[in-house]
Amino acid sequence: MLNEQLYANAYNSSVAGFYFTSYEEYKTKSSKHFDPFGLPVEEYEIDHVDGDLNQLFNACNIDQCTLSVWFNEIETMDKSDQTELYFRCDNLGQDPQEAICDLNSDGSISAGSSLYYAYSYIEDSGILNTLPENIQRYFDFEAFARDLEYSGDITEFSYDGETYTATGF
């Protein structure tokens, strides 16, 4: 388990919120959280305070309704699944639960820029080898990568300080 610290900021302005690092801790503290009039505090805005997954937390729009998904599924995923989840939520607009169900179902994500993807694609496919050698040197990889992005065939994105290229989504 990671060491992500969250904060439950009460919508009731007469009470202070509380910090927590697990779903069980959130449930325990929220069940004992009362305002000055003895009424239970029921609604919170959940903020990511500290940890490595801030970018993913924000892309998933985690709130008190999706906290159990965050702690029980998302936080414990491996890096490649978290990267795909980030892409699906941030770029495709999926909610976290839908995105989790769709993980690894279609498309792929590879480390590297769209230009790197274009080089690899051309190299792996052998397309240039079908052209005369004197024409091969004029192939514009940057334009090809740009065209792939414009057509929606690939999407370059950054997550956790690294660049990735998504294809087939």
Side-chain angles (χ1 to χ4, degrees), residues 5 28-29 39 48 55 63 71 79 82 110-112 123 125-126 129 140-141 151 156 162:
Q5 186 172 43
T28 300
K29 287 183 175 181
L39 299 172
H48 189 276
Q55 191 177 5
D63 57 26
F71 284 112
K79 172 81 182 238
Q82 287 178 347
S110 55
E123 182 69 30
S125 68
N129 297 336
D140 189 341
F141 288 96
S151 67
E156 181 181 297
E162 297 179 40

Side-chain angles (χ1 to χ4, degrees), residues 52-83:
D52 297 330
L53 300 177
N54 185 51
Q55 191 177 5
L56 181 60
F57 183 90
N58 291 329
C60 291
N61 293 314
I62 299 300
D63 57 26
Q64 74 186 86
C65 295
T66 54
L67 265 178
S68 64
V69 173
W70 173 259
F71 284 112
N72 297 328
E73 296 180 55
I74 298 172
E75 193 181 54
T76 58
M77 287 178 178
D78 64 28
K79 172 81 182 238
S80 66
D81 282 346
Q82 287 178 347
T83 302

Side-chain angles (χ1 to χ4, degrees), residues 8 18-34 41 44 46 64 67-69 71-72:
F18 57 86
Y19 294 94
F20 61 100
T21 58
S22 71
Y23 188 60
E24 291 73 26
E25 183 180 8
Y26 166 80
K27 285 176 27 180
T28 300
K29 287 183 175 181
S30 65
S31 69
K32 298 175 183 176
H33 203 200
F34 295 92
V41 178
Y44 300 94
I46 306 300
Q64 74 186 86
L67 265 178
S68 64
V69 173
F71 284 112
N72 297 328

